[in-house]
Amino acid sequence: MRVGVLTGGGDCPGLNAVIRAVVRKGVQVFGYEFVGFRAGWRGPLEGDTMALDIEAVRGILPRGGTILGSSRTNPIKVEGGIERIKDNLAGLGVDALIAIGGEDTLGVARELYDNGVNVVGVPKTIDNDLNATDYTFGFDTAVGIAMEAIDRLHTTAESHHRALICEVMGRHAGWIALHAGMAAGANVILIPEQPFDIDKVVAYVESRFKTRYAPIIVVSEGAHPMDGQMQLQTGERDAFGHVRLGGIGQRLADEIEKRTGKEARATVLGHIQRGGTPTAFDRVLATRFGLQAIDAVRDGDFGKMVALRGTDIIRVGLDEATKELKTVPVERYAEAEVFFG
């Protein structure tokens, strides 16, 4: 059997661990042959491939990013894109495809499966917003990086007695902001799931200053104020229709400084959260996902995504995995000493 592998969407710590696990078990245990598709869905769309064997995956476990490259190419938006992929897979003799990615990548995988392609999905996103799995690999690494950054902001905030805002990734799900903010003892956490009241945020900042401590605010890039409170700019859209987010941290800093007269600075972590070596948790989870994915291929269990439930790796339908985003249930954290704005 010849199996194709691709990584789509944003890069993520742990991608190489999945590729390594898939190839090593597939070759050594099942005797399969592998072909890597470059740059996400652009690879099978254009027939852009690379050799993927034991030698190619040697030493990649601790490496961030992906040796296959990635992109936000959406073949569904390309005229005849699905048929082109099917033709290219057939021409390359690819019997099955393992797609590693988030909701957009796996949404394309589901479409391909519905059109007769043998596909298995692996959930990847630092945002942890993919449905039907407790955690996605990459999330733990991103939270750890954000937590360390916020720890460092505490000391400089106290030294200069200024408000510091840390903007983290997450798009429409506030998991990174929530976990990193709670772990690092942030004073205010603003997430997309709950529009914030800028008046309350400012009041909390002022009360924090009165205690002679400086406030630390963690804000998810997709957080937004209540209607009519602040004007936010909207960015251009990608191939999947997502608006490019970013800038809420600086807008908050400007508003807080204007209203309080206190100095406020914004730090945007951005792609720092995606880069570098994955944590032990993400390496293990990604490896387990890869092993289960190639098992699914062997079993002919296509149209599925591997997922973490509790401590078990299970298989769920691609339709279940992509039907909706997994967002933060704010009410579940009501007992935590954390302020959502």
Side-chain angles (χ1 to χ4, degrees):
M1 176 178 282
R2 198 170 201 218
V3 181
V5 182
L6 67 82
T7 55
D11 66 298
C12 175
L15 281 168
N16 287 323
V18 180
I19 297 168
R20 172 181 176 271
V22 165
V23 172
R24 288 181 69 90
K25 186 171 185 179
V27 171
Q28 295 174 332
V29 178
F30 303 139
Y32 293 164
E33 182 183 353
F34 289 88
V35 57
F37 288 103
R38 299 180 188 273
W41 287 115
R42 185 177 66 77
L45 190 64
E46 300 179 1
D48 188 1
T49 66
M50 63 173 281
L52 202 55
D53 52 18
I54 295 295
E55 185 62 31
V57 301
R58 186 165 286 133
I60 68 173
L61 177 64
R63 285 173 54 182
T66 164
I67 62 170
L68 296 176
S70 191
S71 73
R72 295 195 180 278
T73 302
N74 184 359
I76 296 176
K77 294 290 183 69
V78 177
E79 185 175 354
I82 296 298
E83 289 304 314
R84 279 173 58 184
I85 288 178
K86 291 178 66 176
D87 290 343
N88 284 333
L89 293 177
L92 291 165
V94 174
D95 304 296
L97 183 65
I98 294 177
I100 311 166
E103 58 158 333
D104 295 326
T105 300
L106 297 185
V108 175
R110 185 194 65 225
E111 186 73 18
L112 282 169
Y113 175 71
D114 290 341
N115 281 272
V117 177
N118 296 330
V119 183
V120 171
V122 177
K124 168 245 56 164
T125 168
I126 66 169
D127 301 337
N128 198 42
D129 61 358
L130 201 56
N131 199 38
T133 185
D134 290 349
Y135 287 100
T136 54
F137 68 86
F139 173 67
D140 186 70
T141 302
V143 168
I145 292 169
M147 179 194 70
E148 182 179 348
I150 299 163
D151 285 345
R152 294 174 183 273
L153 289 177
H154 273 288
T155 58
T156 188
E158 300 300 341
S159 297
H160 291 275
H161 206 58
R162 58 167 63 118
L164 288 185
I165 296 94
C166 181
E167 181 183 316
V168 299
M169 285 182 165
R171 193 168 291 280
H172 303 300
W175 293 107
I176 296 176
L178 175 64
H179 282 240
M182 290 179 68
N187 308 117
V188 179
I189 299 172
L190 304 177
I191 59 177
E193 290 83 347
Q194 182 164 314
F196 62 85
D197 184 339
I198 187 61
D199 295 328
K200 287 186 178 180
V201 173
V202 170
Y204 196 88
V205 167
E206 290 177 326
S207 69
R208 179 73 175 171
F209 275 127
K210 288 177 182 177
T211 66
R212 298 190 178 183
Y213 288 97
I216 299 289
I217 299 171
V218 177
V219 57
S220 177
E221 63 184 354
H224 53 94
M226 293 178 175
D227 290 342
Q229 286 198 335
M230 293 168 58
Q231 292 297 318
L232 300 180
Q233 293 182 338
T234 57
E236 60 188 47
R237 295 179 181 272
D238 65 18
F240 290 91
H242 299 305
V243 173
R244 181 176 294 176
L245 298 173
I248 183 61
Q250 187 58 53
R251 285 288 293 111
L252 276 170
D254 294 342
E255 195 72 16
I256 289 169
E257 193 165 290
K258 182 177 71 175
R259 293 192 184 208
T260 66
K262 298 284 189 179
E263 188 177 6
R265 298 286 182 88
T267 297
V268 181
L269 296 187
H271 289 78
I272 290 173
Q273 296 156 93
R274 290 193 183 279
T277 187
T279 61
F281 179 89
D282 280 339
R283 295 185 199 190
V284 172
L285 180 59
T287 298
R288 295 182 70 198
F289 277 161
L291 296 175
Q292 183 64 229
I294 197 61
D295 282 350
V297 170
R298 176 204 57 188
D299 297 341
D301 196 10
F302 300 114
K304 298 292 179 65
M305 180 192 81
V306 297
L308 179 69
R309 291 281 178 85
T311 57
D312 297 327
I313 305 296
I314 65 170
R315 302 172 192 171
V316 299
L318 283 170
D319 53 348
E320 179 184 354
T322 57
K323 67 180 179 181
E324 61 184 357
L325 285 179
K326 183 182 69 180
T327 54
V328 175
V330 177
E331 66 282 354
R332 187 180 300 171
Y333 293 88
E335 74 280 4
E337 293 182 6
V338 61
F339 178 71
F340 288 110

